[in-house]
Amino acid sequence: MQVQTIRLHGKWKKFILQNGEGIEIHVLNYGGVIQKIMVPDRFGKVENVVLGYEKEKDYETDPYYLGALIGPVAGRIQGAEFQWNDQTFKLEKNEGNNHLHGGSQGFHQVIWEAEPLQTPEGVGVKLCHERKDGESGYPGNIKVTVIYWLNRKNELLMDYQAVTDRTTPVTLTNHTYFNLSGNLKDTVGNHRVRMNASRFAELDEALLPTGRILSVRHTPFDFGQGRKLKDGFTGSHPQNRMVGGGYDHYFFFASNPGCVSVEEAESGRMIEIVTNQPGMVLYTSNQMKKDRMLAGGWSKKYLGVCFETQASPASLHDQRFPSVLLKRDEVYRKKTVFSFHIRKR
Ligand code: FUC
């Protein structure tokens, strides 16, 4: 096992984590980006299973948040404002009338303080960032620490911590697009996803929750027994159509911890996701166009799938959603583990 630190231009650094079992993860201090994850298939062929840019500079103008750490608030804040204690906080409108993924100065555009970690059990990167009160309109001095940790058991742990000196909304996630076919050979249509979620949030044209929480039963949103993502690409369910043919929805986990698995039969690669977050946005890159050169080919619709474990910013306007408010002196502590497996035929 080892972790290598590579200096790029300016303050940019890359960390390469290797676990001695064939997994290799490339992390940038810029945006806390996961640039590459190399994983063997069932024949032992090691290939990249995430979407990323070969040229690091491309992350500065990336419209897709590839592999990035998202915050202070992942997801959309309706009207780019919220009220707390009779005060109104106004945020940047960076998507129509709304605020998306922390705005243009969100955590995905920050150079994080970063250091490599190594113990006999694993290797990792520790990323730290401090937000000043009022920056981008968010209240509170916020201190954030995120650790990406890879062990010999092929588990990638994402460990998030945050504290604030004033109540503020915080929900952090990582925006990695997985594609288990390897080196972008295929879309994610044949990825079979299974998860324990019986409800999801209905969306309007702006991709904001309408306020209706729907049952997944008898719909392409029921992943209880496992289903291929292409069911949502081609099906006629109005909610799949609403988001451009696919999924871009918040699912409420029916268990704690929340569990999700994804499998691609050709390669035999499989990921199990376990998290103490209350839910997840499943996004199947419905809005991705052929307009960016990625490592391995052009970007395109359905090229990747994101599992954005998080609470829901809709809670700022509707209390039935899992809260994103972090109070003074509380500690935000969330963990999501991605374990890589191979299924032999
Ligand atoms: C996801 C989606 C959005 C958006 C973005 C790049 O989180 O919810 O719709 O397109 O990522």
Side-chain angles (χ1 to χ4, degrees):
M1 274 187 301
Q2 62 164 4
V3 49
Q4 245 178 287
T5 305
I6 297 168
R7 286 185 181 281
L8 306 172
H9 66 283
K11 290 184 173 169
W12 291 44
K13 284 182 198 165
K14 185 194 304 217
F15 298 87
I16 301 182
L17 282 49
Q18 289 168 319
N19 77 342
E21 302 290 329
I23 296 198
E24 181 174 304
I25 302 181
H26 295 208
V27 177
L28 303 178
N29 60 346
Y30 185 84
V33 161
I34 294 186
Q35 183 185 22
K36 193 173 263 188
I37 302 186
M38 304 297 290
V39 181
D41 70 2
R42 63 196 164 92
F43 304 109
K45 187 169 182 203
V46 180
E47 293 171 307
N48 183 20
V49 298
V50 302
L51 309 196
Y53 297 105
E54 200 78 72
K55 290 202 228 101
E56 284 81 16
K57 267 278 179 199
D58 291 346
Y59 286 99
E60 287 179 333
T61 52
D62 172 27
Y64 300 124
Y65 304 83
L66 299 187
L69 268 180
I70 309 291
V73 173
R76 295 181 171 81
I77 298 181
Q78 184 175 9
E81 62 173 52
F82 65 94
Q83 273 88 32
W84 170 249
N85 264 354
D86 298 329
Q87 222 183 316
T88 299
F89 296 92
K90 289 195 185 296
L91 306 169
E92 180 194 354
K93 293 184 175 174
N94 63 322
E95 194 196 58
N97 196 37
N98 306 311
H99 180 78
L100 173 65
H101 290 338
S104 57
Q105 306 304 309
F107 291 168
H108 64 292
Q109 290 294 341
V110 156
I111 297 194
W112 293 68
E113 262 175 58
E115 58 177 272
L117 302 173
Q118 178 149 21
T119 74
E121 283 76 46
V123 286
V125 191
K126 181 177 173 183
L127 301 161
C128 298
H129 178 59
E130 285 190 37
R131 264 286 150 136
K132 294 275 164 285
D133 193 343
E135 244 183 90
S136 298
Y138 284 92
N141 290 295
I142 313 169
K143 282 188 191 163
V144 186
T145 303
V146 179
I147 294 174
Y148 294 141
W149 181 253
L150 173 67
N151 65 22
R152 278 190 207 286
K153 292 188 287 179
N154 297 339
E155 292 168 342
L156 166 61
L157 163 68
M158 300 187 190
D159 184 332
Y160 301 86
Q161 277 191 52
V163 288
T164 174
D165 57 4
R166 255 176 103 189
T167 298
T168 192
V170 174
T171 188
L172 308 175
T173 197
N174 174 278
H175 210 289
T176 291
Y177 293 75
F178 290 93
N179 182 325
L180 300 182
S181 72
N183 294 351
L184 312 186
K185 273 196 285 297
D186 199 358
T187 68
V188 292
N190 284 321
H191 284 45
R192 178 177 292 276
V193 172
R194 191 176 174 137
M195 73 168 133
N196 188 7
S198 47
R199 297 177 305 142
F200 72 104
E202 184 186 69
L203 298 180
D204 66 16
E205 309 74 40
L207 305 176
L208 286 165
T210 60
R212 287 183 69 203
I213 295 171
L214 306 180
S215 164
V216 301
R217 277 188 60 149
H218 308 304
T219 75
F221 292 81
D222 187 352
F223 289 93
Q225 301 305 314
R227 70 161 62 240
K228 287 192 174 176
L229 291 174
K230 65 179 172 197
D231 289 357
F233 302 170
T234 52
S236 58
H237 193 286
Q239 276 297 300
N240 290 130
R241 304 268 65 81
M242 180 68 83
V243 302
Y247 301 95
D248 195 354
H249 295 79
Y250 189 78
F251 288 80
F252 297 73
F253 289 136
S255 60
N256 183 6
C259 299
V260 183
S261 70
V262 52
E263 189 177 344
E264 199 276 323
E266 272 311 299
S267 68
R269 295 188 183 97
M270 185 182 165
I271 303 177
E272 274 175 356
I273 305 166
V274 177
T275 184
N276 64 350
Q277 289 279 17
M280 175 185 93
V281 173
L282 175 68
Y283 177 54
T284 47
S285 43
N286 323 312
Q287 301 173 50
M288 193 173 277
K289 297 187 189 71
K290 191 180 168 192
D291 59 358
R292 290 288 189 284
M293 193 58 195
L294 311 181
W298 285 96
S299 58
K300 65 173 178 183
K301 194 170 183 174
Y302 305 139
L303 194 59
V305 52
C306 302
F307 303 97
E308 303 163 63
T309 56
Q310 60 175 98
S312 171
S315 61
L316 291 168
H317 302 107
D318 181 344
Q319 294 192 352
R320 291 168 309 152
F321 288 86
S323 173
V324 294
L325 286 181
L326 177 67
K327 307 227 169 78
R328 182 196 167 109
D329 298 332
E330 257 177 17
V331 181
Y332 175 94
R333 189 81 204 270
K334 296 293 174 189
K335 292 184 185 197
T336 300
V337 180
F338 297 82
S339 326
F340 297 90
H341 305 275
I342 293 166
R343 204 189 285 275
K344 301 245 155 73
R345 284 206 186 161

